[in-house]
């Protein structure tokens, strides 16, 4: 039995009692659980401890990650909690919440802006040689009402020529046209010779926990790692949970 299956079975076994123990509200015992966790895992940053949807099990937020423990804080479960009634991954939803990005912290001057200024916002971290990023560009062409901010994020460890292409795109007179020429038409541009924000973008991606491409940020700050399969699925994700997603 996998850890993920064990958590699912636990969720099913306490389906009736767990409702009264749902996340949110006051949790006077969470402070003690947090102290117990910190004693068990010295040196670990414990951001918060909350009640989980399973009675007697606590959610431990450690930076950008989540684990589960009991009141003693001695043993831990690493995995996802699922609600079979709604077919929702509750842990994935919580991870999306705790890893939300504030748009105020995004240096949009370091991105290539395209689309209408009053359109729904989407930030994208892209690598000019990433095949999934190219697929995403095709999808976004079907969504002309979205305001896209593209941060050039070349992954040189797997795409050795990506940085040179990113520099050429940024240094072009029309950056968005250059981006599409390279990613959709396979055009080779002249090597750029200007100051670029690429190093800052790499640092920003690391700070946000984006370690691959494409990395997407929704209007409400949710992060998606990887490309959606269609314009419809991207539009649903942009709208957010409960709004057609």
């Amino acid at each position: 039995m996998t850890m993920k299956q064990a958590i699912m079975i636990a969720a099913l076994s306490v389906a009736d009692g767990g409702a009264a123990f749902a996340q949110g509200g006051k949790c006077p015992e969470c402070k003690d659980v947090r102290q117990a966790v910190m004693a068990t895992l010295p040196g670990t940053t414990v951001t918060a401890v909350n009640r989980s949807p399973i009675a007697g099990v606590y959610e431990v937020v450690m930076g950008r990650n989540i684990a589960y423990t009991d009141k003693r804080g001695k043993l831990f479960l690493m995995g996802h909690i699922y609600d079979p009634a709604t077919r929702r991954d509750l842990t994935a939803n919580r991870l999306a919440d705790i890893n939300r990005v504030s748009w105020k912290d995004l240096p949009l001057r370091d991105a290539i802006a395209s689309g209408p200024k009053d359109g729904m916002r989407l930030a994208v971290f892209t690598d000019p040689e990433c095949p999934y990023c190219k697929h995403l560009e095709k999808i976004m062409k079907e969504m002309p009402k979205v305001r896209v901010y593209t941060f050039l994020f070349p992954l040189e460890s797997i795409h050795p020529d990506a940085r040179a292409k990113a520099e050429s795109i940024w240094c072009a007179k029309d950056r968005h046209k250059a981006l599409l020429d390279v990613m959709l038409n396979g055009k080779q541009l002249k090597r750029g010779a200007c100051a670029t924000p690429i190093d800052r973008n790499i640092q920003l991606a690391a700070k946000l926990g984006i370690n691959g491409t494409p990395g997407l940020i929704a209007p409400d700050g949710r992060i998606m790692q990887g490309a959606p399969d269609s314009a419809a699925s991207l539009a649903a994700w942009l709208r957010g949970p409960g709004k057609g997603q």
Side-chain angles (χ1 to χ4, degrees):
M1 179 185 295
T2 66
M3 191 72 71
K4 187 176 290 186
Q5 289 171 327
I7 295 178
M8 181 185 288
I9 291 171
L12 289 170
S13 67
V14 297
D16 293 333
F21 207 78
Q23 285 174 308
K26 295 181 179 180
C27 177
E29 75 277 15
C30 284
K31 181 178 179 180
D32 293 334
V33 176
R34 184 172 186 268
Q35 291 177 342
V37 170
M38 293 174 67
T40 302
L41 301 173
T44 299
T45 300
V46 180
T47 310
V49 171
N50 307 297
R51 289 176 175 175
S52 84
I54 303 175
V57 176
Y58 294 84
E59 171 196 275
V60 183
V61 181
M62 297 179 287
R64 295 185 175 276
N65 301 306
I66 287 176
Y68 298 96
T69 189
D70 63 1
K71 200 168 186 176
R72 299 174 302 162
K74 299 294 184 183
L75 301 176
F76 297 85
L77 293 172
M78 309 298 292
H80 286 225
I81 297 176
Y82 291 87
D83 183 343
T86 61
R87 298 185 179 182
R88 291 170 58 216
D89 183 336
L90 303 183
T91 303
N93 290 343
R94 285 289 296 139
L95 285 169
D97 285 339
I98 67 173
N99 289 317
R100 285 181 193 270
V101 174
S102 171
W103 275 77
K104 294 185 296 183
D105 296 333
L106 293 178
L108 300 182
R109 66 184 182 280
D110 288 344
I112 299 171
S114 60
K117 292 183 178 180
D118 60 349
M120 181 180 290
R121 295 184 300 179
L122 168 64
V124 177
F125 285 77
T126 195
D127 177 323
E129 291 199 327
C130 161
Y132 302 103
C133 300
K134 295 176 182 179
H135 172 67
L136 177 62
E137 287 296 336
K138 293 178 181 178
I139 288 175
M140 291 190 298
K141 285 193 71 175
E142 302 176 36
M143 305 176 68
K145 295 183 179 181
V146 175
R147 178 70 166 176
V148 181
Y149 295 91
T150 301
F151 291 86
L152 296 171
F153 177 36
L155 302 176
E156 294 181 88
S157 60
I158 56 176
H159 300 141
D161 297 327
R163 187 180 184 103
K165 290 183 178 181
E167 290 173 349
S168 298
I169 291 169
W170 185 262
C171 295
K173 185 176 181 180
D174 186 333
R175 292 169 178 164
H176 185 240
K177 181 179 182 301
L179 177 71
L180 297 181
D181 281 345
V182 170
M183 299 191 71
L184 297 184
N185 303 322
K187 186 174 181 179
Q188 296 292 326
L189 304 179
K190 292 182 179 180
R191 183 68 183 262
C194 69
T196 77
I198 292 173
D199 287 334
R200 292 194 298 272
N201 292 350
I202 292 172
Q203 293 172 0
L204 177 63
K207 178 182 176 182
L208 300 178
I210 296 174
N211 50 28
T213 55
L216 287 68
I217 301 176
D220 62 359
R222 286 173 295 117
I223 294 177
M224 177 193 291
Q225 303 265 19
D229 57 6
S230 67
S233 59
L234 175 56
W237 179 76
L238 287 174
R239 288 193 295 269
K243 299 179 182 178
Q245 187 177 11

Short mmCIF file of all heavy atoms in Angstrom, two decimals, residues 16 25 38 42 45 63 72-73 84 102 119 129 133 159 164 167 170-171 203 209 212 223 229 232 235:
data_model
loop_
_atom_site.label_atom_id
_atom_site.label_comp_id
_atom_site.label_asym_id
_atom_site.label_seq_id
_atom_site.Cartn_x
_atom_site.Cartn_y
_atom_site.Cartn_z
N ASP A 16 -17.43 10.67 8.27
CA ASP A 16 -18.51 11.28 9.04
C ASP A 16 -17.96 12.21 10.12
O ASP A 16 -18.45 13.31 10.30
CB ASP A 16 -19.37 10.19 9.70
CG ASP A 16 -20.14 9.40 8.66
OD1 ASP A 16 -20.41 9.97 7.59
OD2 ASP A 16 -20.44 8.23 8.92
N GLY A 25 -11.21 28.02 11.12
CA GLY A 25 -11.68 28.22 12.48
C GLY A 25 -10.54 28.19 13.47
O GLY A 25 -9.37 28.07 13.11
N MET A 38 8.38 20.90 15.83
CA MET A 38 9.69 21.55 15.82
C MET A 38 10.69 20.81 16.71
O MET A 38 11.89 20.78 16.42
CB MET A 38 9.54 23.01 16.25
CG MET A 38 8.74 23.85 15.25
SD MET A 38 8.41 25.54 15.81
CE MET A 38 10.06 26.22 15.83
N PRO A 42 14.10 19.41 14.50
CA PRO A 42 14.82 20.66 14.76
C PRO A 42 15.50 21.17 13.50
O PRO A 42 16.04 20.41 12.71
CB PRO A 42 15.84 20.26 15.83
CG PRO A 42 15.99 18.78 15.68
CD PRO A 42 14.66 18.27 15.25
N THR A 45 11.84 24.58 9.10
CA THR A 45 10.97 25.75 9.17
C THR A 45 9.52 25.29 9.11
O THR A 45 9.07 24.76 8.10
CB THR A 45 11.25 26.72 8.01
OG1 THR A 45 12.61 27.16 8.09
CG2 THR A 45 10.33 27.92 8.07
N GLY A 63 7.30 25.67 4.59
CA GLY A 63 7.66 26.42 3.40
C GLY A 63 6.60 26.25 2.33
O GLY A 63 5.44 26.60 2.51
N ARG A 72 0.81 14.34 18.61
CA ARG A 72 2.12 14.22 19.25
C ARG A 72 3.24 14.80 18.39
O ARG A 72 4.32 15.09 18.89
CB ARG A 72 2.42 12.76 19.56
CG ARG A 72 1.45 12.10 20.52
CD ARG A 72 1.75 10.62 20.64
NE ARG A 72 1.69 9.98 19.33
CZ ARG A 72 2.22 8.79 19.04
NH1 ARG A 72 2.89 8.13 19.97
NH2 ARG A 72 2.10 8.27 17.83
N GLY A 73 3.01 14.93 17.08
CA GLY A 73 4.02 15.47 16.19
C GLY A 73 5.24 14.59 16.06
O GLY A 73 6.35 15.08 15.83
N PRO A 84 -13.33 11.56 -2.15
CA PRO A 84 -13.93 10.78 -3.23
C PRO A 84 -15.32 11.26 -3.62
O PRO A 84 -15.75 11.04 -4.75
CB PRO A 84 -13.97 9.36 -2.66
CG PRO A 84 -13.95 9.54 -1.18
CD PRO A 84 -13.13 10.77 -0.92
N SER A 102 1.86 37.01 -5.09
CA SER A 102 1.27 38.35 -5.16
C SER A 102 1.77 39.04 -6.43
O SER A 102 2.98 39.14 -6.65
CB SER A 102 1.66 39.17 -3.93
OG SER A 102 1.26 40.52 -4.10
N GLY A 119 -7.10 42.99 -20.32
CA GLY A 119 -7.44 41.57 -20.37
C GLY A 119 -7.11 40.84 -19.07
O GLY A 119 -6.41 41.37 -18.20
N GLU A 129 13.47 27.06 -26.02
CA GLU A 129 13.68 25.74 -26.61
C GLU A 129 12.78 24.66 -26.00
O GLU A 129 12.87 23.50 -26.38
CB GLU A 129 15.15 25.33 -26.47
CG GLU A 129 16.10 26.14 -27.33
CD GLU A 129 17.43 25.47 -27.52
OE1 GLU A 129 17.88 24.76 -26.60
OE2 GLU A 129 18.03 25.64 -28.60
N CYS A 133 6.56 24.73 -23.87
CA CYS A 133 6.35 26.18 -23.96
C CYS A 133 5.85 26.56 -25.35
O CYS A 133 4.99 27.44 -25.50
CB CYS A 133 7.65 26.92 -23.65
SG CYS A 133 8.32 26.60 -22.00
N HIS A 159 18.88 22.82 -22.14
CA HIS A 159 18.78 23.50 -23.44
C HIS A 159 19.94 24.48 -23.56
O HIS A 159 19.79 25.67 -23.26
CB HIS A 159 17.44 24.23 -23.57
CG HIS A 159 16.24 23.35 -23.47
ND1 HIS A 159 15.08 23.72 -22.81
CD2 HIS A 159 16.02 22.11 -23.96
CE1 HIS A 159 14.20 22.74 -22.90
NE2 HIS A 159 14.74 21.76 -23.59
N ALA A 164 21.02 32.06 -25.34
CA ALA A 164 21.33 32.90 -26.49
C ALA A 164 20.04 33.31 -27.21
O ALA A 164 19.89 34.47 -27.63
CB ALA A 164 22.26 32.16 -27.44
N GLU A 167 18.22 35.92 -25.09
CA GLU A 167 18.85 37.23 -25.20
C GLU A 167 18.49 37.89 -26.53
O GLU A 167 18.22 39.10 -26.59
CB GLU A 167 20.37 37.08 -25.08
CG GLU A 167 20.83 36.71 -23.68
CD GLU A 167 22.31 36.41 -23.60
OE1 GLU A 167 22.95 36.28 -24.69
OE2 GLU A 167 22.84 36.29 -22.49
N TRP A 170 14.91 39.24 -26.28
CA TRP A 170 14.79 40.43 -25.45
C TRP A 170 15.39 41.66 -26.14
O TRP A 170 14.88 42.77 -25.99
CB TRP A 170 15.46 40.22 -24.10
CG TRP A 170 15.26 41.38 -23.17
CD1 TRP A 170 16.13 42.40 -22.93
CD2 TRP A 170 14.08 41.66 -22.41
NE1 TRP A 170 15.58 43.30 -22.04
CE2 TRP A 170 14.32 42.87 -21.71
CE3 TRP A 170 12.86 41.01 -22.23
CZ2 TRP A 170 13.37 43.44 -20.86
CZ3 TRP A 170 11.91 41.57 -21.38
CH2 TRP A 170 12.17 42.77 -20.71
N CYS A 171 16.45 41.47 -26.88
CA CYS A 171 17.14 42.59 -27.52
C CYS A 171 16.52 42.99 -28.86
O CYS A 171 16.96 43.96 -29.49
CB CYS A 171 18.61 42.26 -27.72
SG CYS A 171 19.52 42.05 -26.16
N GLN A 203 16.42 34.07 -10.86
CA GLN A 203 16.34 34.20 -9.41
C GLN A 203 14.89 34.29 -8.94
O GLN A 203 14.51 33.71 -7.91
CB GLN A 203 17.11 35.44 -8.97
CG GLN A 203 18.62 35.34 -9.19
CD GLN A 203 19.34 36.65 -8.93
OE1 GLN A 203 18.72 37.66 -8.58
NE2 GLN A 203 20.65 36.64 -9.11
N GLY A 209 9.47 29.13 -6.48
CA GLY A 209 9.34 27.67 -6.51
C GLY A 209 9.06 27.13 -7.89
O GLY A 209 8.63 25.98 -8.04
N GLY A 212 10.71 24.57 -13.49
CA GLY A 212 10.63 24.02 -14.84
C GLY A 212 9.82 24.95 -15.72
O GLY A 212 9.29 25.96 -15.25
N ILE A 223 -0.22 28.95 -9.01
CA ILE A 223 0.86 28.54 -9.91
C ILE A 223 0.52 27.21 -10.56
O ILE A 223 0.03 26.29 -9.90
CB ILE A 223 2.19 28.42 -9.14
CG1 ILE A 223 2.65 29.79 -8.63
CG2 ILE A 223 3.28 27.80 -10.02
CD1 ILE A 223 3.92 29.73 -7.79
N ASP A 229 -3.52 21.28 -21.75
CA ASP A 229 -3.61 20.59 -23.04
C ASP A 229 -4.42 21.35 -24.08
O ASP A 229 -4.39 21.01 -25.26
CB ASP A 229 -4.19 19.19 -22.85
CG ASP A 229 -5.56 19.21 -22.18
OD1 ASP A 229 -6.11 20.30 -21.96
OD2 ASP A 229 -6.08 18.12 -21.87
N ALA A 232 -9.21 25.69 -23.79
CA ALA A 232 -10.35 25.57 -22.89
C ALA A 232 -9.90 25.25 -21.47
O ALA A 232 -10.41 25.83 -20.50
CB ALA A 232 -11.32 24.50 -23.39
N ALA A 235 -8.25 28.34 -19.98
CA ALA A 235 -9.26 29.34 -19.61
C ALA A 235 -9.95 28.96 -18.31
O ALA A 235 -10.19 29.81 -17.44
CB ALA A 235 -10.28 29.49 -20.74
#
